[in-house]
Amino acid sequence: AYEIRLSLVGSEMCIETVLSYGTGSPVENADRPLLDYFTAHFAEKGYRYTDLLREIVLSPAFYDVTESAPEQKTASVAN
């Protein structure tokens, strides 16, 4: 049971890294259902990395772009 748990943790870390790198943004708590989905499919496919990459790249999470809020600029006061 201990080895399986380590395997799951390693799988989740791998998936988070690939997803974060692929989307260019950090994985957040709101992404948990998506990570759970990828983790389950990664296991079902026998932990094949190429299948994981294909699954992520073909998912809407990979190509959906959300506009981020504009950065607020603050004026600096010179002394």
Side-chain angles (χ1 to χ4, degrees):
Y2 183 70
E3 292 83 9
I4 293 171
R5 187 174 37 186
L6 285 178
S7 176
L8 275 174
V9 169
S11 296
E12 288 178 357
M13 287 174 38
C14 176
I15 293 165
E16 285 183 29
T17 302
V18 170
L19 188 60
S20 177
Y21 180 78
T23 60
S25 61
V27 176
E28 300 176 355
N29 286 337
D31 300 318
R32 175 73 1 213
L34 183 62
L35 292 172
D36 292 343
Y37 169 82
F38 286 137
T39 301
H41 281 265
F42 193 36
E44 287 174 13
K45 298 286 185 176
Y47 299 99
R48 289 189 298 258
Y49 192 68
T50 54
D51 289 340
L52 172 64
L53 293 177
R54 184 179 300 109
E55 185 93 26
I56 289 175
V57 169
L58 295 177
S59 74
F62 186 77
Y63 58 83
D64 277 353
V65 177
T66 57
E67 189 172 328
S68 59
E71 287 187 34
Q72 301 245 345
K73 295 185 179 182
T74 56
S76 61
V77 178
N79 288 333

